[in-house]
Amino acid sequence: MSSTVVDKTMIYQCSAANLSGGGGIETYVASLVLSQISGISDRAIASLKNVDQRQFKLLHVHDADMLGDLRQECPVIFTLHNHSSYCPSGTKYLADRGVECDRSLNPLGCAWGHLVDGCGSRRPKNIIQDWWNAYHPLDTLKKLKIPVIANSDYVRQQIINSGLPSQQVVTLRYGVKIPKTSAEPLTFSTHQNQRILFVGRIIANKGIGWLIQALSKTDPSVHLDIAGDGWGKPSMEKLADRLGLSNRITWHGWCSGDKLEALYQQCFTVVFPSLWPEPAGLVTLEAYARYRPIIASAVGGIPEHVQEGETGILVPPNNIEKLAAAINELASNYAKTRLMGEQGQAWFQREFTIDVHIKRLEKIYEKTISDFHC
């Protein structure tokens, strides 16, 4: 950034603890706060109430609940991480039907979705609260007309469909920190160990049941490591037991640091079988950072982070046969798997490191400050 901007810029980062949406958002915001962004403080504030906003030269807001407290006393940017600003349930997923929701924000349609399609709570009080939690931030964004950053083209189009002008919304995909340990390309011996990895919450919408069913149709030597926990674990353990797969699955629980790093290093591919339309999905980028290809469901913003046949394989959601075929394809072809991992790592270095992300973010900051003073 230019010295004039460096001298003047202070950034507000919303505390990750206040964010709804799970570990991916928290990981990203924490990375921003901890990164050395040129000339920008890493100050995190939990609330804008009773804060003199004129002290800031720029506010970068990550929590939609904060939008109502903005007084437009300084330049502001809002990053849209999830569906919560245009979908009352926050999922864009009709759970009882197992399909993506194609409705725009509408009180009648969204109430129907909650009551009939199972996209959210069926309690009237909760339905009303969910509606307000989506409608109010969206209405505020329309009135404030501040720049909005979407973490994928999919999310950008969703909020444009909900009434935000296209010129108000820009796509900026996440960046990921390079692993502390030196990641290396897949070795033949690691590939021969035949381990695949799932990282995420163990809930129905994350597709873990689909993955377990697909595992039953893969080569018996393939072993699944699951790094995560959630309310769906007991039923998934029963499913694995019923299919005779208990000895082919290791449940590691929540992992972080060295443990998670070791799991990435011992697998030959990472599987990301989400059924709901993920806004983006950091798991793909974390796999690339470690020279591992990705097998992922073609929903939401996920396809924007997978180069089909080059850095990974995209599979239609809930298609057991095709997911099993993708796993078997990489399990039986070391050269192809290694090449995909190398191509994914090269793409990661060009587009998805936190340093690349911050350089692009700084340009948005600079423009926002310039436009505010015009």
Side-chain angles (χ1 to χ4, degrees):
M1 298 176 70
S2 67
S3 59
T4 55
V5 175
V6 169
D7 292 340
K8 294 180 179 181
T9 303
M10 294 178 69
I11 180 175
Y12 154 71
Q13 296 285 2
C14 172
S15 171
N18 290 331
L19 290 168
S20 61
I25 301 174
E26 294 173 4
T27 299
Y28 166 73
V29 174
S31 296
L32 278 188
V33 171
L34 294 174
S35 296
Q36 297 298 314
I37 305 179
S38 176
I40 301 175
S41 76
D42 60 0
R43 182 178 178 185
I45 302 174
S47 174
L48 286 173
K49 291 181 179 179
N50 304 318
V51 172
D52 182 6
Q53 296 173 26
R54 292 171 297 181
Q55 69 177 296
F56 301 105
K57 297 301 180 182
L58 181 135
L59 290 171
H60 186 170
V61 181
H62 296 271
D63 189 340
D65 290 341
M66 305 288 179
L67 294 174
D69 296 325
L70 292 173
R71 297 187 291 274
Q72 292 188 290
E73 296 172 343
C74 68
V76 179
I77 292 173
F78 173 64
T79 288
L80 181 59
H81 296 279
N82 51 36
H83 305 308
S84 61
S85 296
Y86 48 77
C87 172
S89 72
T91 65
K92 289 295 291 182
Y93 184 68
L94 306 179
D96 288 355
R97 292 168 53 191
V99 297
E100 179 182 349
C101 177
D102 59 0
R103 301 185 182 106
S104 297
L105 187 64
N106 176 281
L108 293 179
C110 292
W112 180 273
H114 278 63
L115 292 169
V116 178
D117 297 322
C119 67
S121 171
R122 290 182 167 92
R123 296 181 179 180
K125 182 179 179 180
N126 292 344
I127 294 174
I128 294 172
Q129 186 62 55
D130 285 350
W131 167 260
W132 177 251
N133 289 344
Y135 172 79
H136 181 61
L138 181 63
D139 185 59
T140 302
L141 286 173
K142 291 176 181 177
K143 292 175 180 177
L144 291 177
K145 300 180 180 179
I146 61 174
V148 175
I149 297 174
N151 59 0
S152 67
D153 286 336
Y154 174 83
V155 168
R156 179 177 183 270
Q157 192 57 55
Q158 292 295 322
I159 199 163
I160 290 172
N161 292 346
S162 298
L164 239 60
S166 59
Q167 63 270 21
Q168 190 178 342
V169 192
V170 62
T171 298
L172 178 63
R173 294 179 178 84
Y174 284 150
V176 171
K177 283 188 174 182
I178 297 174
K180 293 180 181 179
T181 56
S182 182
E184 297 180 351
L186 179 68
T187 63
F188 182 74
S189 60
T190 297
H191 183 266
Q192 290 300 102
N193 288 334
Q194 295 285 277
R195 302 184 83 96
I196 62 177
L197 176 64
F198 169 90
V199 180
R201 289 174 293 161
I202 304 177
I203 57 176
N205 294 355
K206 286 291 185 178
I208 189 71
W210 171 34
L211 174 56
I212 290 173
Q213 292 176 76
L215 182 68
S216 69
K217 297 182 179 298
T218 63
D219 188 286
S221 63
V222 175
H223 189 94
L224 170 62
D225 288 300
I226 298 177
D229 210 339
W231 57 261
K233 182 178 178 181
S235 63
M236 293 300 102
E237 288 179 317
K238 290 180 181 178
L239 174 63
D241 185 59
R242 188 167 69 248
L243 294 174
L245 298 173
S246 296
N247 64 336
R248 293 178 59 192
I249 300 175
T250 302
W251 308 83
H252 296 274
W254 289 115
C255 302
S256 60
D258 294 340
K259 174 64 174 178
L260 186 58
E261 192 64 40
L263 292 176
Y264 271 115
Q265 293 303 319
Q266 73 180 26
C267 73
F268 67 83
T269 187
V270 177
V271 185
F272 189 21
S274 220
L275 299 177
W276 76 292
E278 298 266 0
L282 283 176
V283 173
T284 54
L285 309 184
E286 292 175 348
Y288 297 153
R290 294 159 177 86
Y291 287 92
R292 296 302 184 264
I294 192 87
I295 298 174
S297 49
V299 293
I302 296 174
E304 298 174 39
H305 297 81
V306 180
Q307 294 179 333
E308 172 63 31
E310 295 185 15
T311 67
I313 301 174
L314 288 169
V315 181
N318 252 336
N319 191 312
I320 296 171
E321 299 293 337
K322 289 193 175 181
L323 180 56
I327 294 171
N328 282 329
E329 180 180 349
L330 296 189
S332 61
N333 193 329
Y334 164 66
K336 182 173 186 176
T337 306
R338 176 178 170 124
L339 178 60
M340 278 188 173
E342 291 175 337
Q343 291 174 160
Q345 218 279 338
W347 192 30
F348 169 79
Q349 291 288 349
R350 293 193 306 269
E351 296 290 331
F352 301 116
T353 68
I354 194 67
D355 291 339
V356 169
H357 176 86
I358 287 172
K359 287 179 181 178
R360 293 169 177 168
L361 185 58
E362 286 178 334
K363 291 181 180 179
I364 297 175
Y365 287 167
E366 187 171 27
K367 184 178 187 305
T368 302
I369 293 171
S370 176
D371 290 346
F372 185 82
H373 289 299
C374 287

PDB file of all heavy atoms in Angstrom, residues 184-188 191 268 291-293 330 333-344:
ATOM      1  N   GLU A 184       5.720 -31.769   1.600  1.00  0.00           N
ATOM      2  CA  GLU A 184       6.409 -32.357   0.466  1.00  0.00           C
ATOM      3  C   GLU A 184       5.436 -33.120  -0.411  1.00  0.00           C
ATOM      4  O   GLU A 184       4.368 -33.550   0.055  1.00  0.00           O
ATOM      5  CB  GLU A 184       7.519 -33.294   0.957  1.00  0.00           C
ATOM      6  CG  GLU A 184       8.622 -32.596   1.745  1.00  0.00           C
ATOM      7  CD  GLU A 184       9.696 -33.566   2.198  1.00  0.00           C
ATOM      8  OE1 GLU A 184       9.480 -34.787   2.040  1.00  0.00           O
ATOM      9  OE2 GLU A 184      10.731 -33.102   2.709  1.00  0.00           O
ATOM     10  N   PRO A 185       5.770 -33.315  -1.683  1.00  0.00           N
ATOM     11  CA  PRO A 185       4.901 -34.088  -2.572  1.00  0.00           C
ATOM     12  C   PRO A 185       4.655 -35.498  -2.033  1.00  0.00           C
ATOM     13  O   PRO A 185       5.452 -36.045  -1.258  1.00  0.00           O
ATOM     14  CB  PRO A 185       5.680 -34.120  -3.890  1.00  0.00           C
ATOM     15  CG  PRO A 185       6.556 -32.909  -3.844  1.00  0.00           C
ATOM     16  CD  PRO A 185       6.942 -32.762  -2.402  1.00  0.00           C
ATOM     17  N   LEU A 186       3.570 -36.091  -2.459  1.00  0.00           N
ATOM     18  CA  LEU A 186       3.195 -37.437  -2.038  1.00  0.00           C
ATOM     19  C   LEU A 186       4.284 -38.443  -2.421  1.00  0.00           C
ATOM     20  O   LEU A 186       4.745 -38.468  -3.563  1.00  0.00           O
ATOM     21  CB  LEU A 186       1.875 -37.822  -2.710  1.00  0.00           C
ATOM     22  CG  LEU A 186       1.312 -39.204  -2.411  1.00  0.00           C
ATOM     23  CD1 LEU A 186       0.856 -39.294  -0.961  1.00  0.00           C
ATOM     24  CD2 LEU A 186       0.156 -39.514  -3.361  1.00  0.00           C
ATOM     25  N   THR A 187       4.678 -39.263  -1.470  1.00  0.00           N
ATOM     26  CA  THR A 187       5.657 -40.306  -1.760  1.00  0.00           C
ATOM     27  C   THR A 187       4.940 -41.616  -2.090  1.00  0.00           C
ATOM     28  O   THR A 187       3.768 -41.807  -1.741  1.00  0.00           O
ATOM     29  CB  THR A 187       6.581 -40.548  -0.552  1.00  0.00           C
ATOM     30  OG1 THR A 187       5.790 -41.031   0.545  1.00  0.00           O
ATOM     31  CG2 THR A 187       7.276 -39.250  -0.139  1.00  0.00           C
ATOM     32  N   PHE A 188       5.668 -42.505  -2.740  1.00  0.00           N
ATOM     33  CA  PHE A 188       5.075 -43.790  -3.110  1.00  0.00           C
ATOM     34  C   PHE A 188       4.689 -44.594  -1.877  1.00  0.00           C
ATOM     35  O   PHE A 188       3.623 -45.216  -1.826  1.00  0.00           O
ATOM     36  CB  PHE A 188       6.064 -44.588  -3.965  1.00  0.00           C
ATOM     37  CG  PHE A 188       5.517 -45.909  -4.436  1.00  0.00           C
ATOM     38  CD1 PHE A 188       4.561 -45.969  -5.441  1.00  0.00           C
ATOM     39  CD2 PHE A 188       5.952 -47.102  -3.846  1.00  0.00           C
ATOM     40  CE1 PHE A 188       4.046 -47.195  -5.858  1.00  0.00           C
ATOM     41  CE2 PHE A 188       5.441 -48.319  -4.267  1.00  0.00           C
ATOM     42  CZ  PHE A 188       4.491 -48.369  -5.267  1.00  0.00           C
ATOM     43  N   HIS A 191       1.498 -43.274  -0.421  1.00  0.00           N
ATOM     44  CA  HIS A 191       0.372 -43.675  -1.261  1.00  0.00           C
ATOM     45  C   HIS A 191       0.006 -45.137  -1.015  1.00  0.00           C
ATOM     46  O   HIS A 191      -1.182 -45.496  -0.969  1.00  0.00           O
ATOM     47  CB  HIS A 191       0.710 -43.461  -2.739  1.00  0.00           C
ATOM     48  CG  HIS A 191      -0.416 -43.777  -3.671  1.00  0.00           C
ATOM     49  ND1 HIS A 191      -0.546 -45.009  -4.274  1.00  0.00           N
ATOM     50  CD2 HIS A 191      -1.481 -43.036  -4.087  1.00  0.00           C
ATOM     51  CE1 HIS A 191      -1.634 -45.009  -5.036  1.00  0.00           C
ATOM     52  NE2 HIS A 191      -2.218 -43.823  -4.939  1.00  0.00           N
ATOM     53  N   PHE A 268      -3.341 -39.949   1.066  1.00  0.00           N
ATOM     54  CA  PHE A 268      -3.006 -39.693  -0.338  1.00  0.00           C
ATOM     55  C   PHE A 268      -4.007 -38.742  -0.992  1.00  0.00           C
ATOM     56  O   PHE A 268      -3.746 -38.182  -2.051  1.00  0.00           O
ATOM     57  CB  PHE A 268      -2.893 -41.003  -1.142  1.00  0.00           C
ATOM     58  CG  PHE A 268      -4.190 -41.763  -1.330  1.00  0.00           C
ATOM     59  CD1 PHE A 268      -5.084 -41.419  -2.343  1.00  0.00           C
ATOM     60  CD2 PHE A 268      -4.505 -42.838  -0.513  1.00  0.00           C
ATOM     61  CE1 PHE A 268      -6.263 -42.126  -2.537  1.00  0.00           C
ATOM     62  CE2 PHE A 268      -5.684 -43.553  -0.694  1.00  0.00           C
ATOM     63  CZ  PHE A 268      -6.571 -43.191  -1.702  1.00  0.00           C
ATOM     64  N   TYR A 291       0.268 -30.537  -0.723  1.00  0.00           N
ATOM     65  CA  TYR A 291       0.493 -31.380  -1.909  1.00  0.00           C
ATOM     66  C   TYR A 291      -0.498 -32.535  -2.002  1.00  0.00           C
ATOM     67  O   TYR A 291      -0.165 -33.594  -2.531  1.00  0.00           O
ATOM     68  CB  TYR A 291       1.915 -31.959  -1.900  1.00  0.00           C
ATOM     69  CG  TYR A 291       3.015 -30.973  -2.204  1.00  0.00           C
ATOM     70  CD1 TYR A 291       3.650 -30.283  -1.177  1.00  0.00           C
ATOM     71  CD2 TYR A 291       3.450 -30.757  -3.504  1.00  0.00           C
ATOM     72  CE1 TYR A 291       4.684 -29.390  -1.437  1.00  0.00           C
ATOM     73  CE2 TYR A 291       4.492 -29.873  -3.788  1.00  0.00           C
ATOM     74  CZ  TYR A 291       5.100 -29.191  -2.743  1.00  0.00           C
ATOM     75  OH  TYR A 291       6.108 -28.318  -3.014  1.00  0.00           O
ATOM     76  N   ARG A 292      -1.702 -32.347  -1.517  1.00  0.00           N
ATOM     77  CA  ARG A 292      -2.689 -33.414  -1.603  1.00  0.00           C
ATOM     78  C   ARG A 292      -3.845 -32.998  -2.507  1.00  0.00           C
ATOM     79  O   ARG A 292      -4.383 -31.902  -2.378  1.00  0.00           O
ATOM     80  CB  ARG A 292      -3.231 -33.783  -0.206  1.00  0.00           C
ATOM     81  CG  ARG A 292      -2.194 -34.354   0.748  1.00  0.00           C
ATOM     82  CD  ARG A 292      -1.541 -35.614   0.187  1.00  0.00           C
ATOM     83  NE  ARG A 292      -0.607 -36.217   1.131  1.00  0.00           N
ATOM     84  CZ  ARG A 292       0.699 -36.013   1.128  1.00  0.00           C
ATOM     85  NH1 ARG A 292       1.251 -35.189   0.228  1.00  0.00           N
ATOM     86  NH2 ARG A 292       1.478 -36.632   2.004  1.00  0.00           N
ATOM     87  N   PRO A 293      -4.258 -33.883  -3.426  1.00  0.00           N
ATOM     88  CA  PRO A 293      -5.415 -33.587  -4.263  1.00  0.00           C
ATOM     89  C   PRO A 293      -6.691 -33.680  -3.437  1.00  0.00           C
ATOM     90  O   PRO A 293      -6.694 -34.253  -2.336  1.00  0.00           O
ATOM     91  CB  PRO A 293      -5.370 -34.682  -5.332  1.00  0.00           C
ATOM     92  CG  PRO A 293      -4.685 -35.835  -4.650  1.00  0.00           C
ATOM     93  CD  PRO A 293      -3.675 -35.223  -3.721  1.00  0.00           C
ATOM     94  N   LEU A 330      -7.813 -42.647  -7.551  1.00  0.00           N
ATOM     95  CA  LEU A 330      -6.584 -42.105  -6.972  1.00  0.00           C
ATOM     96  C   LEU A 330      -5.838 -43.153  -6.157  1.00  0.00           C
ATOM     97  O   LEU A 330      -4.603 -43.138  -6.100  1.00  0.00           O
ATOM     98  CB  LEU A 330      -6.899 -40.886  -6.106  1.00  0.00           C
ATOM     99  CG  LEU A 330      -7.491 -39.670  -6.836  1.00  0.00           C
ATOM    100  CD1 LEU A 330      -7.558 -38.462  -5.906  1.00  0.00           C
ATOM    101  CD2 LEU A 330      -6.677 -39.321  -8.087  1.00  0.00           C
ATOM    102  N   ASN A 333      -3.604 -45.188  -8.627  1.00  0.00           N
ATOM    103  CA  ASN A 333      -2.728 -44.504  -9.577  1.00  0.00           C
ATOM    104  C   ASN A 333      -1.851 -43.493  -8.838  1.00  0.00           C
ATOM    105  O   ASN A 333      -2.227 -42.338  -8.668  1.00  0.00           O
ATOM    106  CB  ASN A 333      -3.564 -43.814 -10.650  1.00  0.00           C
ATOM    107  CG  ASN A 333      -2.729 -43.345 -11.835  1.00  0.00           C
ATOM    108  OD1 ASN A 333      -1.559 -43.006 -11.700  1.00  0.00           O
ATOM    109  ND2 ASN A 333      -3.345 -43.318 -13.015  1.00  0.00           N
ATOM    110  N   TYR A 334      -0.688 -43.957  -8.401  1.00  0.00           N
ATOM    111  CA  TYR A 334       0.212 -43.080  -7.651  1.00  0.00           C
ATOM    112  C   TYR A 334       0.662 -41.879  -8.473  1.00  0.00           C
ATOM    113  O   TYR A 334       0.643 -40.740  -7.983  1.00  0.00           O
ATOM    114  CB  TYR A 334       1.439 -43.868  -7.180  1.00  0.00           C
ATOM    115  CG  TYR A 334       2.581 -42.975  -6.737  1.00  0.00           C
ATOM    116  CD1 TYR A 334       2.452 -42.166  -5.620  1.00  0.00           C
ATOM    117  CD2 TYR A 334       3.782 -42.936  -7.456  1.00  0.00           C
ATOM    118  CE1 TYR A 334       3.496 -41.332  -5.205  1.00  0.00           C
ATOM    119  CE2 TYR A 334       4.829 -42.116  -7.058  1.00  0.00           C
ATOM    120  CZ  TYR A 334       4.682 -41.309  -5.933  1.00  0.00           C
ATOM    121  OH  TYR A 334       5.703 -40.490  -5.538  1.00  0.00           O
ATOM    122  N   ALA A 335       1.067 -42.087  -9.714  1.00  0.00           N
ATOM    123  CA  ALA A 335       1.596 -40.996 -10.538  1.00  0.00           C
ATOM    124  C   ALA A 335       0.559 -39.886 -10.719  1.00  0.00           C
ATOM    125  O   ALA A 335       0.879 -38.698 -10.608  1.00  0.00           O
ATOM    126  CB  ALA A 335       2.043 -41.539 -11.899  1.00  0.00           C
ATOM    127  N   LYS A 336      -0.674 -40.269 -10.982  1.00  0.00           N
ATOM    128  CA  LYS A 336      -1.733 -39.282 -11.180  1.00  0.00           C
ATOM    129  C   LYS A 336      -2.034 -38.527  -9.891  1.00  0.00           C
ATOM    130  O   LYS A 336      -2.203 -37.303  -9.900  1.00  0.00           O
ATOM    131  CB  LYS A 336      -3.005 -39.967 -11.686  1.00  0.00           C
ATOM    132  CG  LYS A 336      -4.146 -39.001 -11.970  1.00  0.00           C
ATOM    133  CD  LYS A 336      -5.311 -39.725 -12.628  1.00  0.00           C
ATOM    134  CE  LYS A 336      -6.400 -38.735 -13.041  1.00  0.00           C
ATOM    135  NZ  LYS A 336      -7.500 -39.411 -13.772  1.00  0.00           N
ATOM    136  N   THR A 337      -2.088 -39.247  -8.794  1.00  0.00           N
ATOM    137  CA  THR A 337      -2.381 -38.632  -7.502  1.00  0.00           C
ATOM    138  C   THR A 337      -1.293 -37.642  -7.116  1.00  0.00           C
ATOM    139  O   THR A 337      -1.579 -36.531  -6.657  1.00  0.00           O
ATOM    140  CB  THR A 337      -2.533 -39.709  -6.412  1.00  0.00           C
ATOM    141  OG1 THR A 337      -3.508 -40.652  -6.824  1.00  0.00           O
ATOM    142  CG2 THR A 337      -2.966 -39.089  -5.097  1.00  0.00           C
ATOM    143  N   ARG A 338      -0.041 -38.037  -7.298  1.00  0.00           N
ATOM    144  CA  ARG A 338       1.064 -37.139  -6.976  1.00  0.00           C
ATOM    145  C   ARG A 338       1.029 -35.898  -7.863  1.00  0.00           C
ATOM    146  O   ARG A 338       1.212 -34.773  -7.384  1.00  0.00           O
ATOM    147  CB  ARG A 338       2.400 -37.859  -7.138  1.00  0.00           C
ATOM    148  CG  ARG A 338       3.595 -36.926  -6.909  1.00  0.00           C
ATOM    149  CD  ARG A 338       4.917 -37.632  -7.026  1.00  0.00           C
ATOM    150  NE  ARG A 338       6.025 -36.679  -7.027  1.00  0.00           N
ATOM    151  CZ  ARG A 338       7.037 -36.701  -6.171  1.00  0.00           C
ATOM    152  NH1 ARG A 338       7.085 -37.623  -5.213  1.00  0.00           N
ATOM    153  NH2 ARG A 338       8.009 -35.813  -6.250  1.00  0.00           N
ATOM    154  N   LEU A 339       0.788 -36.086  -9.172  1.00  0.00           N
ATOM    155  CA  LEU A 339       0.747 -34.952 -10.092  1.00  0.00           C
ATOM    156  C   LEU A 339      -0.369 -33.980  -9.715  1.00  0.00           C
ATOM    157  O   LEU A 339      -0.162 -32.761  -9.707  1.00  0.00           O
ATOM    158  CB  LEU A 339       0.550 -35.442 -11.532  1.00  0.00           C
ATOM    159  CG  LEU A 339       0.445 -34.344 -12.606  1.00  0.00           C
ATOM    160  CD1 LEU A 339       1.711 -33.494 -12.633  1.00  0.00           C
ATOM    161  CD2 LEU A 339       0.174 -34.964 -13.971  1.00  0.00           C
ATOM    162  N   MET A 340      -1.548 -34.504  -9.392  1.00  0.00           N
ATOM    163  CA  MET A 340      -2.641 -33.627  -8.972  1.00  0.00           C
ATOM    164  C   MET A 340      -2.255 -32.825  -7.729  1.00  0.00           C
ATOM    165  O   MET A 340      -2.555 -31.632  -7.626  1.00  0.00           O
ATOM    166  CB  MET A 340      -3.892 -34.460  -8.665  1.00  0.00           C
ATOM    167  CG  MET A 340      -4.709 -34.847  -9.885  1.00  0.00           C
ATOM    168  SD  MET A 340      -6.257 -35.614  -9.344  1.00  0.00           S
ATOM    169  CE  MET A 340      -7.103 -35.757 -10.916  1.00  0.00           C
ATOM    170  N   GLY A 341      -1.595 -33.489  -6.789  1.00  0.00           N
ATOM    171  CA  GLY A 341      -1.160 -32.802  -5.584  1.00  0.00           C
ATOM    172  C   GLY A 341      -0.169 -31.702  -5.878  1.00  0.00           C
ATOM    173  O   GLY A 341      -0.227 -30.608  -5.286  1.00  0.00           O
ATOM    174  N   GLU A 342       0.756 -31.965  -6.794  1.00  0.00           N
ATOM    175  CA  GLU A 342       1.745 -30.953  -7.162  1.00  0.00           C
ATOM    176  C   GLU A 342       1.088 -29.775  -7.878  1.00  0.00           C
ATOM    177  O   GLU A 342       1.450 -28.611  -7.654  1.00  0.00           O
ATOM    178  CB  GLU A 342       2.822 -31.583  -8.043  1.00  0.00           C
ATOM    179  CG  GLU A 342       3.715 -32.568  -7.289  1.00  0.00           C
ATOM    180  CD  GLU A 342       4.694 -33.274  -8.201  1.00  0.00           C
ATOM    181  OE1 GLU A 342       4.422 -33.353  -9.428  1.00  0.00           O
ATOM    182  OE2 GLU A 342       5.724 -33.771  -7.702  1.00  0.00           O
ATOM    183  N   GLN A 343       0.127 -30.068  -8.746  1.00  0.00           N
ATOM    184  CA  GLN A 343      -0.577 -28.997  -9.458  1.00  0.00           C
ATOM    185  C   GLN A 343      -1.445 -28.187  -8.496  1.00  0.00           C
ATOM    186  O   GLN A 343      -1.557 -26.963  -8.632  1.00  0.00           O
ATOM    187  CB  GLN A 343      -1.420 -29.599 -10.582  1.00  0.00           C
ATOM    188  CG  GLN A 343      -0.561 -30.164 -11.706  1.00  0.00           C
ATOM    189  CD  GLN A 343      -1.340 -30.893 -12.778  1.00  0.00           C
ATOM    190  OE1 GLN A 343      -0.841 -31.076 -13.903  1.00  0.00           O
ATOM    191  NE2 GLN A 343      -2.550 -31.342 -12.481  1.00  0.00           N
ATOM    192  N   GLY A 344      -2.014 -28.855  -7.515  1.00  0.00           N
ATOM    193  CA  GLY A 344      -2.782 -28.147  -6.511  1.00  0.00           C
ATOM    194  C   GLY A 344      -1.907 -27.233  -5.685  1.00  0.00           C
ATOM    195  O   GLY A 344      -2.292 -26.093  -5.368  1.00  0.00           O
TER     196      GLY A 344
END
